[in-house]
Every structure is written in C-alpha cells, then in structure tokens.
Amino acid sequence: YWSLGKANSFQSQIVIINPGVSFSEVAQDLSDREIIDCPLLLIGYQRVFNHNSFVKAGEYQIESNTSALNILKLFIDGEVITHQFTIIEGWSFNQLLEELRSNTVIRNTGLTENEIMISLGISANNLEGQFLAETYNFIRGDTDLDILSNAHDLLNTTLDEVWNTGQNYVLRDSYQALILASIIEKEAGVADERAIISGVFSNRLNKGMRLQSDPTVIYGVGSSFDGDITFAHLNDNNDYNTYRINGLPPTPICLVGRESLVAAVLPDINEYFYFVATGNSDGRHFFSSNLEDHNKAVEVYLSNIE
C-alpha cells in the first residue's frame, strides 16, 4: 500500500506549509513539484484517519527519495527546520533590530522601540543592553519580538546568576554591572583582558576617578561620530561622556555576552588605573598603575601606529 506513495527521485527541497492550509493542498503541491507521484494516497490517509491536526504549519526539508510515509511522519511530528540567529557582542540595539528585520525568515512585527519595551515589560530608560549576545534557535514564522523576548529573558537569567556569584563591591546593583559589562565589551580586544579592564574601572570608581572611556564618548555622540574622537567630543556635555560625568553612564552602551558580565562582577584584583592600546594588531593593551607609566605607554602606542 505505502509503496504506491514512494517519492520520485528529486533533489532535496524546502516545503513551506502555511497556517490554515488543507492537507489536500499540501499533497497536491508535493505532486506538482514531483516530490511524490500519488497525492491521493496522502489525501486518503487524512480521510481514513480523520487526522487534520497532523498538518502542522512550518518549513520542512524533504530529502531526495524520501517515501510518502516518511514525509507524512515529518508533518505529523512537526519536524520543521530550525534556524539560528546570533546576536554579536558589542552590537547596539539598533544594529540588532536592523539585523533581525533584514532576515527574510524572521517575521517583522514593525513594532517601535517603545512598543517593544511595553510588550516585554522593560522599564529601563531604553533597550540598550537588554538582550544577551548569544545564538538563538527559531523557526520560520517566528517574529522579531519572539527572538527579542528570548534574548531578554536569557539576559535577565544570566545577569541574576552572575551577580549572585560574587558582587563587585563598587557596584550598587546588577544593572550597574550590566552597564560596566557593556563598557568592558567595547574596550576589550581580547578575552583574557576583560577582567583586567574591569579591575581598572573598579579601581577608578572606588577612588572617585572618572572612567574616561572612549566608547562611552562615541555612544554619547551618536550617529554624528565620524570615526575620530576630537577635543570637542571629549568636552561634549552629555550623560555618556565619562570624561565629564562622574561614575557610570545611565545605561549600557551595547549588548553584552556572558563573559563581560562575569568580568564586571568578578574584576581582576590589581593596582592599575590606566590602560591604552599597544598599537599592535593583537588587540591588547598596556596597563599602568600611575600616570607617568601611562604616558610612556601612550608614547609607545603612538609610535606603533605611525
């Protein structure tokens, strides 16, 4: 009986079953695409067993020479194709939203930032930093809001877990840890320097020194930043200019991964107050405990980039 439903020889194909479509339409589509040679067999199965529920909407991969019985099993089990979307450490929220909405498999809700905040129950000043940089599985038909919801939930779970492992004594709460983690994310060029950089900023916060972090300046300048930090930028009076403000900026400046959260909560215990890039291509920094040594490091940096 099932041999009558043997699939034709064809290359692997993607079959998309839209919500609400009848199985007769599915069977006929498979026949029209020469995936199966007997659509009536599949239709007969549905009628005999009166099993409408097994037509599960989604995106299916049908491999060459798959039998009709195995095609039915795919649909019954709902073995839809799983896609992945990766949020990159250091992305801004606007970059995240742009990547989500340019993905042709993810359904665009068109929600505004304020509508997203309301939908996800986020009470922060903005959506910056509210989503964990990680890889997320999704299926065709999932929306940008679905992925944002998963990423926000994972951020909260991870942040709570990390914060409870060992709180940085200079930080008031886990949100401040998130803010510091975002600065670390932007400053660290290599993974093993995250905790050291966190130690530098923690030392400065503890001494009441301004953070003087260039990435916060760039974030505060916004879209007008053209790639070069100027004295005007450093003197700009905005809430993110850590050359002008005391303490941390009011919100994160980017999306972070777990490693930067850990670094923010568990900083390296050191005596450094300054750091500057080496100027080499390895992404590393010189760390100094006093201004004299830091100025010498800056000279080396400048000579390396000439």
Side-chain angles (χ1 to χ4, degrees):
Y1 178 80
W2 282 109
S3 63
L4 296 175
K6 185 180 71 175
N8 295 324
S9 179
F10 59 92
Q11 290 187 340
S12 174
Q13 294 195 38
I14 302 296
V15 173
I16 298 174
I17 299 180
N18 294 315
V21 70
S22 71
F23 191 68
S24 296
E25 293 174 294
V26 174
Q28 189 59 54
D29 178 57
L30 295 177
S31 177
D32 292 344
R33 295 167 63 174
E34 299 183 346
I35 294 175
I36 61 171
D37 55 11
C38 187
L40 292 177
L41 181 62
L42 303 188
I43 296 170
Y45 179 91
Q46 184 255 353
R47 290 176 179 173
V48 168
F49 292 93
N50 192 28
H51 200 344
N52 290 314
S53 63
F54 76 87
V55 186
K56 295 180 180 177
E59 183 181 18
Y60 296 86
Q61 178 96 27
I62 310 296
E63 300 294 345
S64 178
N65 293 317
T66 304
S67 70
L69 179 58
N70 285 332
I71 291 174
L72 279 173
K73 189 175 186 305
L74 279 177
F75 296 158
I76 293 170
D77 294 343
E79 294 182 10
V80 296
I81 296 172
T82 300
H83 299 271
Q84 291 188 325
F85 181 85
T86 300
I87 299 176
I88 305 298
E89 292 94 337
W91 272 359
S92 67
F93 171 71
N94 287 336
Q95 285 177 295
L96 168 58
L97 198 60
E98 182 179 346
E99 291 294 328
L100 281 172
R101 292 182 171 174
S102 64
N103 189 305
T104 57
V105 182
I106 299 169
R107 188 154 52 90
N108 181 359
T109 61
L111 293 175
T112 65
E113 182 171 344
N114 188 56
E115 289 169 336
I116 292 171
M117 291 180 71
I118 293 172
S119 297
L120 299 183
I122 296 174
S123 58
N125 292 336
N126 60 37
L127 289 172
E128 203 65 80
Q130 292 294 323
F131 309 94
L132 189 71
E134 186 55 88
T135 296
Y136 298 89
N137 293 330
F138 70 96
I139 61 174
R140 182 179 290 273
D142 283 351
T143 67
D144 46 18
L145 187 63
D146 291 327
I147 294 175
L148 290 174
S149 178
N150 290 338
H152 178 61
D153 289 345
L154 188 56
L155 182 279
N156 285 336
T157 300
T158 305
L159 181 56
D160 288 344
E161 175 192 333
V162 171
W163 178 250
N164 290 327
T165 62
Q167 300 166 13
N168 186 334
Y169 68 94
V170 300
L171 303 175
R172 288 197 312 269
D173 51 41
S174 61
Y175 188 66
Q176 284 202 334
L178 180 59
I179 295 172
L180 179 57
S182 73
I183 302 174
I184 296 167
E185 196 74 77
K186 282 295 192 180
E187 292 278 17
V190 291
D192 62 11
E193 287 190 353
R194 285 191 176 102
I196 303 174
I197 291 172
S198 179
V200 174
F201 287 135
S202 297
N203 290 339
R204 294 181 75 92
L205 288 170
N206 188 46
K207 290 290 187 180
M209 299 171 66
R210 291 175 176 172
L211 295 185
Q212 296 184 326
S213 170
D214 290 353
T216 66
V217 174
I218 294 169
Y219 185 83
V221 171
S223 59
S224 65
F225 182 68
D226 61 3
D228 293 315
I229 294 180
T230 66
F231 285 112
H233 293 147
L234 297 179
N235 289 315
D236 188 53
N237 190 21
N238 69 71
D239 291 341
Y240 292 88
N241 185 355
T242 53
Y243 284 82
R244 294 289 302 271
I245 68 167
N246 297 319
L248 295 163
T251 74
I253 61 171
C254 70
L255 307 178
V256 306
R258 179 186 178 88
E259 291 77 11
S260 289
L261 289 174
V262 171
V265 172
L266 296 171
D268 179 61
I269 305 302
N270 58 54
E271 298 180 352
Y272 300 135
F273 289 91
Y274 306 91
F275 64 95
V276 65
T278 64
N280 299 322
S281 60
D282 56 8
R284 293 191 171 276
H285 296 85
F286 294 122
F287 295 91
S288 305
S289 59
N290 59 75
L291 186 57
E292 181 180 356
D293 287 346
H294 175 63
N295 288 335
K296 292 177 182 178
V298 171
E299 292 178 4
V300 174
Y301 161 73
L302 292 175
S303 66
N304 285 339
I305 64 173
E306 287 179 354

